[in-house]
């Protein structure tokens, strides 16, 4: 039986592993002890009842395959070397190591109990703060604002971003207009087209008076701040033979069939790729279906592979459980009610509980 090594058990890697479990010897490598459902991470920060819904142990994901809790430090075309020194030979390799992002949007520790403890500490720091400063008016800064305002409507939230509008990207004017309207209704202070002269001296996520000044000379005082920008692809493990597919920004170039550029048996999916579309868990899941299907075809001796079609601009942006806006392929802009119905209420928890074969509470 063919061996498939998968680097990273996030949205893309976990789905690939599950899809190939019955026809290959799957080895899923990830330093974390549980899948992190990032989509619900900010709800989990604010609402203690949600904290457990962010972490799904890998134990019941696979029936035949194995999960190795370690980090890949080198990937060659036919083998993966992990930090312990073990070398895992593989007929096919899928690079699904995703991206890092500042806590609390993504976790910066591997052990889920430690991550939950960090979330609980940050929640109690946030609870103490009356004035919150968020650096970044992208999806993370905006979602965090909505979650804070849903539980603590009286907290003063300021969002600052050097770009002139909320949510950069190819979204409609209607969507941005409605988003600004909802933020206005929540009383959010939006400082756009400016940035801080320097980042606050105190660490993010810790309560304490922060004073800062914007490049337009406006002073800001807050009781806590968070960094809501800075996505970095995790791709520092490629051998010399594979490294030419790595672009200067760390993203990996892939063919339409999702093979790593120049490779026959190494595939790459999800946030780590340079595919020209928004970086999304949903997209990583669709890449997984194409990559797994193509690996299955190669294993079965069929050489007709399927090409991936990048998705048009898409976003589901809840502002708490009942607010927000979305842009959906084929539908265009939809408002708060549908955003809440599709994502804001359950944050897709049921889908991932099912994938990991656990009961959603
Ligand atoms: C707050 C927030 C909300 C979001 N909301 C949405 C949403 O509503 N809808 C949506 O579609 N997307 C959403 N996203 C984006 C989504 O989380 C990412 O696009 C998604 O995580 C990408 O999936 P991935 O499988 O490529 O990588 P990741 O989910 O980043 O997983 C990568 C995995 O690889 C592991 N790894 C890293 N390096 C190594 C290594 N060297 N060896 C082994 N393993 C390694 C990591 O531990 C991790 O488990 C949101 C993101 C954030 C931060």
């Amino acid at each position: 039986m063919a061996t498939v090594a998968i680097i990273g058990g996030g949205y893309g890697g976990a789905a690939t592993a599950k899809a190939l479990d019955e026809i290959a010897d799957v080895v899923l490598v990830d330093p974390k002890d549980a899948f992190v459902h990032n989509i619900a991470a900010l709800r989990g920060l604010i609402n203690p009842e949600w904290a457990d819904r962010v972490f799904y142990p890998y134990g019941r994901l696979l029936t035949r395959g194995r999960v190795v809790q370690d980090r890949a430090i080198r990937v060659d075309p036919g083998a993966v070397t992990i930090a312990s020194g073990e070398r895992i030979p593989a007929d096919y390799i899928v690079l699904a190591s995703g991206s890092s992002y500042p806590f609390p949007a993504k976790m910066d520790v591997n052990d889920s109990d430690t991550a939950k403890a960090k979330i609980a500490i940050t929640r109690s720091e946030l609870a103490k703060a009356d004035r919150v400063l968020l650096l970044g008016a992208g999806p993370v800064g905006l979602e965090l604002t909505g979650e804070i305002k849903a539980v603590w409507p009286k907290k003063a939230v300021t969002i600052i971003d050097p770009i002139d509008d909320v949510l950069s990207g190819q979204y409609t004017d209607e969507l941005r207009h409605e988003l600004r309207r909802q933020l206005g209704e929540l009383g959010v202070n939006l400082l756009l087209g400016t940035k801080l002269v320097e980042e606050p001296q105190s660490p993010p996520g810790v309560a304490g008076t922060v004073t800062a000044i914007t490049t337009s000379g406006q002073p800001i005082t807050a009781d806590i701040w968070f960094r809501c920008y800075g996505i970095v692809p995790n791709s520092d493990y490629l051998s010399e033979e594979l490294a030419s597919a790595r672009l200067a920004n760390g993203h990996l170039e892939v063919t339409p069939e999702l093979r790593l550029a120049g490779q026959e048996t190494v595939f790459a999916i999800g946030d780590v790729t340079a595919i020209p579309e928004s970086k999304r868990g949903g997209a990583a899941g669709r890449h997984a279906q194409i990559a797994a299907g193509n690996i299955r075809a190669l294993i079965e001796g069929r050489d007709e592979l399927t090409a991936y079609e990048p998705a048009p601009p898409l976003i589901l942006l809840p502002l708490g459980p009942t607010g927000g806006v979305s842009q959906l392929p084929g539908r265009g802009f939809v408002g708060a009610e549908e955003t809440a119905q599709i994502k804001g209420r359950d944050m897709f928890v049921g889908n991932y509980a099912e994938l990991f074969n656990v009961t959603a509470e």
Side-chain angles (χ1 to χ4, degrees):
M1 201 173 248
T3 298
V4 182
I6 299 167
I7 313 304
Y11 292 92
T16 309
K18 183 100 165 184
L20 293 173
D21 196 27
E22 61 175 30
I23 58 142
D25 286 332
V26 168
V27 184
L28 178 62
V29 179
D30 198 303
K32 295 195 162 71
D33 64 352
F35 166 80
V36 181
H37 180 32
N38 280 116
I39 294 173
L42 300 174
R43 179 76 47 86
L45 170 72
I46 306 297
N47 186 332
E49 283 175 21
W50 277 74
D52 282 341
R53 299 174 199 165
V54 179
F55 300 93
Y56 297 86
Y58 288 116
R60 294 204 219 148
L61 173 69
L62 303 177
T63 311
R64 300 185 53 257
R66 68 180 172 123
V67 179
V68 175
Q69 195 187 337
D70 205 344
R71 194 167 64 86
I73 55 165
R74 183 183 165 95
V75 176
D76 293 278
V80 175
T81 308
I82 57 176
S84 69
E86 188 189 345
R87 191 170 175 277
I88 302 166
D91 301 294
Y92 299 94
I93 296 174
V94 181
L95 310 177
S97 44
S99 60
S100 304
Y101 195 98
F103 176 85
K106 282 200 162 184
M107 301 305 132
D108 52 5
V109 292
N110 292 326
D111 172 67
S112 51
D113 285 338
T114 310
K116 284 181 204 174
K118 240 189 122 172
I119 290 170
I121 291 168
T122 309
R123 185 185 305 121
S124 65
E125 292 291 294
L126 187 51
K128 287 186 248 172
D130 291 331
R131 295 162 299 180
V132 182
L133 173 61
L134 304 180
L135 307 189
V140 170
L142 297 168
E143 265 200 53
L144 182 51
T145 300
E147 296 300 334
I148 292 170
K149 283 288 190 178
V151 173
W152 295 296
K154 291 203 175 125
K155 282 194 198 299
V157 177
T158 297
I159 310 178
I160 181 164
D161 197 298
I163 294 173
D164 284 334
D165 206 344
V166 288
L167 201 62
S168 60
Q170 297 168 295
Y171 306 114
T172 62
D173 288 346
E174 201 184 5
L175 177 137
R176 286 204 180 80
H177 181 267
E178 171 60 12
L179 193 47
R180 283 195 306 271
R181 191 196 66 74
Q182 291 186 31
L183 292 167
E185 218 167 53
L186 294 172
V188 174
N189 181 24
L190 275 180
L191 298 179
L192 301 172
T194 187
K195 57 182 184 174
L196 298 184
V197 174
E198 59 178 0
E199 264 190 8
Q201 299 293 315
S202 58
V206 177
T209 306
V210 171
T211 50
I213 190 149
T214 68
T215 45
S216 29
Q218 185 174 342
I220 299 175
T221 307
D223 305 307
I224 197 164
W225 72 282
F226 291 94
R227 194 180 287 118
C228 302
Y229 66 89
I231 186 169
V232 178
N234 301 320
S235 60
D236 58 355
Y237 47 68
L238 298 181
S239 67
E240 302 71 28
E241 210 175 320
L242 301 183
S244 62
R246 187 171 189 249
L247 304 178
N249 63 7
H251 284 124
L252 304 181
E253 221 177 327
V254 292
T255 67
E257 296 76 28
L258 304 183
R259 282 166 158 149
L260 189 70
Q263 297 301 315
E264 293 291 315
T265 57
V266 181
F267 290 71
I269 60 171
D271 276 16
V272 76
T273 67
I275 296 172
E277 64 182 355
S278 314
K279 300 296 177 221
R280 296 279 179 265
R286 288 190 295 280
H287 302 170
Q289 297 319 318
I290 299 288
N294 286 342
I295 292 171
R296 178 186 278 266
L298 292 170
I299 290 173
E300 291 170 352
R302 291 178 281 123
D303 51 11
E304 221 166 83
L305 304 189
T306 305
Y308 177 72
E309 294 278 341
L314 154 76
I315 192 156
L316 284 154
L317 181 68
L319 291 179
T322 57
V325 292
S326 300
Q327 187 165 310
L328 306 174
R331 288 281 315 278
F333 161 78
V334 303
E337 204 170 304
E338 261 192 87
T339 301
Q341 201 182 341
I342 301 170
K343 175 178 168 187
R345 279 193 207 111
D346 84 331
M347 306 303 270
F348 304 128
V349 157
N351 301 358
Y352 294 98
E354 193 182 320
L355 181 66
F356 288 90
N357 199 9
V358 295
T359 315
E361 286 162 27

